[in-house]
Amino acid sequence: MDISTQSQVHGLNTSTMAARKKDAEAKENLWSSILSEVQTQSNTKLPSNKSVLVLGDNASGKTTLIAKLQGVEDPKKGSGLEYAYIDVRDEYRDDLTRLGVWILDGDPGHNNLLKYALNETNYAHTLVILTLSMTTPWSWVNQLQHWMKILDDRVAALKIDPEEKQQCQARLSTEWQNYCETIDDLDPGSPIKRTNRLSSVDDELDALPLPEGVLTTNLGLDVVVVVTKTDYMTTLEKDLDYRDEHFDFMQQWIRRFCLMYGASLFYTSVKEDKNCDLLYKYLTHRIYGLPFRTPALVVEKDAVLIPAGWDNMKKISILYENMQSCKPDDYYNDIIAQPPSRKTVSNREIEIQTEDEQAFLARQQQLLQQGQTPTRGESPLRSQPGSNGKSAQRTPVAAGAQGSPKKVDGKLAPGTQSGEGVLANFFNSLLHKKSVSPGSAAAAAAAGGVAGSPLATSSPRSLNGVTVADPVSASDKISMRTDAALELDRLARSVKKDLDYSAAQSDC
């Protein structure tokens, strides 16, 4: 092989090796491009570490609102710190993730549970929803100040890197400054094209300053103020005579409050399904950057929607034109005052008030003095003697009857006393018997009766300085003895009968 042939073979080998090397480099570039594409796609997937913290007083509609965003028809009320999740789907990239939701109970005793929902780990990935109810607009000031203080204290207590907190605060400021540009970019039909984002320090210096009153308190957290139950506005107009200027005053006040914290504002009604779907889309826009093309809505008073970055004091001042009887700087609760408390529960049982003890006793004493003493219950042994000497059943006394119990005649002559009356007179005569001198006693006996007999007493008179009884007629003496004997005999039989009955019961 000559020298020329060898040079040709060597050239062929060199070109072949160069081609192979080029192919290897192309394959390496292909794999690199595939790996970079996969990495890019993995970075564009929806993150799974995002969460929403819902704060608000009890009965402000927190659970019902979240259930509506979840698509749940029958919400279940919990206690303490509830956890739920909302399914979020990116239709453009066909991606699905879950947005965690923490709902803190409105009871102040559960505020210590906030540390589990907002901590150093999820601070930069948390959005806060503050709920207010249209049913109690007079309590908005206290509620917002209360929950914002709790949130501010919690953020201050977090042990996070100051640089991380500054980045979160700067992000909020930048989103306010670039709000219009972001909306234009998401709307392909807009004639205004979005300029490049701020990417250098020089560009940041050229950024416009924040409007007046915006983000004066920057917590580094996205905040959305949600006014629930706006369908109650008709009730406020009907029952409390609310007019449009009242609702304008409420709206301008809460919009100014939202400016201070860089918050968004939504008026919602789950009952009438107002702004609930828009709230869901806005949350996914703020948290995941998904499209949101709906502009601010301020025409309908019960369906207000104000995204963060759109509002300013000049736009708020438009509401001042309709406020005739109040001024924007008036104290809120002077215009929106709490109405007098009313009983709202109609089926509640009426509470029975007991009468004062002393008043009751005084009334009873008055009745007694008037002779309206109710009759006392009768004992089974208190029965009137019948004609045959046996106990007769006592006639019951009618309710409200006055005086002594009704008398049941045996065979007593008209005008004679009952057995109890005779017996009472008999023993009274024994008690009132007075000792007399033998002369006076003999005189009394000679006058018509047995000397010393207790029945020979009548009205007292004085004899020789000694009080003696007047003589009693013979017929009265016989009648009194007969009645006393009959009564004693009746009592003896009644006692014997009771003893026999008790013995028979014991034998059984």
Side-chain angles (χ1 to χ4, degrees), residues 159-426:
K159 299 178 180 179
I160 56 178
D161 187 3
E163 184 178 354
E164 180 182 359
K165 186 175 182 179
Q166 290 177 0
Q167 291 177 355
C168 294
Q169 293 174 342
R171 176 178 56 84
L172 291 182
S173 300
T174 303
E175 288 179 352
W176 265 85
Q177 294 168 334
N178 297 341
Y179 166 77
C180 293
E181 295 178 343
T182 303
I183 295 298
D184 293 338
D185 179 61
L186 292 175
D187 189 359
S190 175
I192 303 176
K193 299 301 180 181
R194 172 179 176 266
T195 59
N196 293 329
R197 275 193 172 273
L198 303 176
S199 57
S200 65
V201 177
D202 295 336
D203 293 335
E204 292 180 1
L205 293 176
D206 295 336
L208 295 175
L210 291 172
E212 177 188 359
V214 175
L215 280 174
T216 56
T217 303
N218 193 339
L219 299 178
L221 293 170
D222 279 324
V223 179
V224 179
V225 177
V226 179
V227 178
T228 62
K229 307 178 185 180
T230 57
D231 53 277
Y232 196 77
M233 285 183 172
T234 55
T235 304
L236 293 175
E237 293 175 337
K238 180 179 179 181
D239 296 345
L240 300 179
D241 196 24
Y242 273 46
R243 299 182 297 275
D244 288 342
E245 62 177 340
H246 291 91
F247 297 116
D248 290 342
F249 180 84
M250 293 158 52
Q251 185 187 139
Q252 65 88 23
W253 184 90
I254 199 169
R255 284 170 65 177
R256 289 163 63 183
F257 181 89
C258 290
L259 288 181
M260 294 171 54
Y261 292 90
S264 310
L265 178 62
F266 276 76
Y267 277 29
T268 64
S269 173
V270 175
K271 182 178 180 180
E272 297 182 356
D273 196 15
K274 288 189 176 182
N275 279 355
C276 296
D277 292 339
L278 292 177
L279 177 61
Y280 169 81
K281 293 180 180 179
Y282 185 75
L283 293 178
T284 58
H285 165 66
R286 297 290 292 186
I287 296 174
Y288 301 105
L290 298 182
F292 182 77
R293 300 185 178 92
T294 304
L297 304 176
V298 294
V299 176
E300 297 183 15
K301 62 183 179 181
D302 58 345
V304 177
L305 188 164
I306 300 179
W310 178 87
D311 211 1
N312 54 48
M313 293 299 298
K314 184 177 181 180
K315 296 177 181 178
I316 294 175
S317 63
I318 299 176
L319 296 172
Y320 300 165
E321 300 175 358
N322 298 327
M323 297 162 52
Q324 305 296 331
S325 61
C326 56
K327 298 179 180 179
D329 295 331
D330 289 342
Y331 183 62
Y332 181 87
N333 288 113
D334 288 343
I335 308 302
I336 311 298
Q338 183 175 0
S341 59
R342 298 181 299 176
K343 293 184 178 180
T344 56
V345 182
S346 58
N347 59 350
R348 183 177 180 181
E349 295 182 359
I350 300 176
E351 184 177 358
I352 300 176
Q353 298 290 340
T354 58
E355 185 179 3
D356 182 68
E357 180 181 2
Q358 296 301 321
F360 171 77
L361 294 176
R363 185 163 53 85
Q364 296 300 319
Q365 183 181 12
Q366 184 179 4
L367 293 175
L368 290 173
Q369 292 175 354
Q370 295 176 358
Q372 300 180 2
T373 308
T375 58
R376 60 189 177 92
E378 298 297 335
S379 170
L381 296 179
R382 292 177 175 270
S383 56
Q384 298 295 339
S387 59
N388 56 359
K390 296 183 179 181
S391 299
Q393 184 177 3
R394 197 176 187 91
T395 304
V397 182
Q402 300 178 359
S404 60
K406 185 177 180 181
K407 300 175 184 178
V408 179
D409 294 337
K411 280 192 177 180
L412 298 177
T416 59
Q417 296 177 325
S418 64
E420 290 185 2
V422 173
L423 191 60
N425 290 335
F426 173 73

Side-chain angles (χ1 to χ4, degrees), residues 422 425-427 429-430 433 449-450 452-458 469-473 476-482 484:
V422 173
N425 290 335
F426 173 73
F427 286 105
S429 66
L430 293 178
K433 179 182 178 183
V450 180
S453 173
L455 298 177
T457 59
S458 181
D470 290 334
V472 182
S473 64
D476 291 340
K477 294 176 183 178
I478 295 172
S479 177
M480 293 173 66
R481 290 193 185 98
T482 303

